[in-house]
Amino acid sequence: MSLRTRLSITTAAGLLAAAAAVTPAAAAHDDWDPAGGNGNHQNHHDQGLYEGVVTANTLALRSAPNRGSQIIRYAHRGDIVKIFCKTGGETVQGNPLWYLLTDGTWAWGAARYIDNVGPAPRWC
């Protein structure tokens, strides 16, 4: 395994651990309303999450932002996913971005197969 691959895995593991550490804090604010109760806002802003729609027939969601990492679960064409943040990783068909998804389990999905719904996710 190359040094670059090891560093990528270590970085991804650190990001995953950091993201998991903030999960309880984000969950505790689910009912917070920055719009003052008027309902003129979108969920992803309230929770610090963004949304995307899966464009691949079947998308393997992984433990790190590369195709060699462990598969955590699968998403399917048309699924709406919650995106926590984006980072650089292994390039997939010309796209080096990966999204950290929060649906049920934390997993990485290649941005090549996830179209943003609304604003682009923040950087991890």
Side-chain angles (χ1 to χ4, degrees):
M1 183 180 299
S2 73
L3 178 59
R4 182 175 179 175
T5 301
R6 287 181 190 173
L7 289 174
S8 295
I9 291 170
T10 302
T11 301
L15 289 171
L16 197 56
V22 300
T23 301
H29 292 93
D30 281 347
D31 57 350
W32 176 69
D33 186 356
N38 66 12
N40 292 331
H41 61 279
Q42 296 178 3
N43 265 348
H44 62 269
H45 293 297
D46 292 350
Q47 299 171 0
L49 299 179
Y50 301 84
E51 289 185 341
V53 61
V54 175
T55 61
N57 287 330
T58 301
L59 177 61
L61 302 177
R62 300 182 175 275
S63 62
N66 64 67
R67 292 182 284 188
S69 61
Q70 178 183 357
I71 296 173
I72 303 293
R73 60 188 171 88
Y74 293 92
H76 304 282
R77 182 183 300 276
D79 286 354
I80 301 295
V81 293
K82 300 293 182 190
I83 304 168
F84 184 75
C85 61
K86 66 183 172 187
T87 193
E90 180 180 355
T91 299
V92 177
Q93 291 191 357
N95 188 333
L97 297 178
W98 287 71
Y99 294 148
L100 180 57
L101 308 179
T102 65
D103 304 286
T105 58
W106 293 79
W108 293 96
R112 168 65 179 87
Y113 299 110
I114 302 171
D115 285 345
N116 296 330
V117 176
R122 68 179 171 269
W123 289 94
C124 296

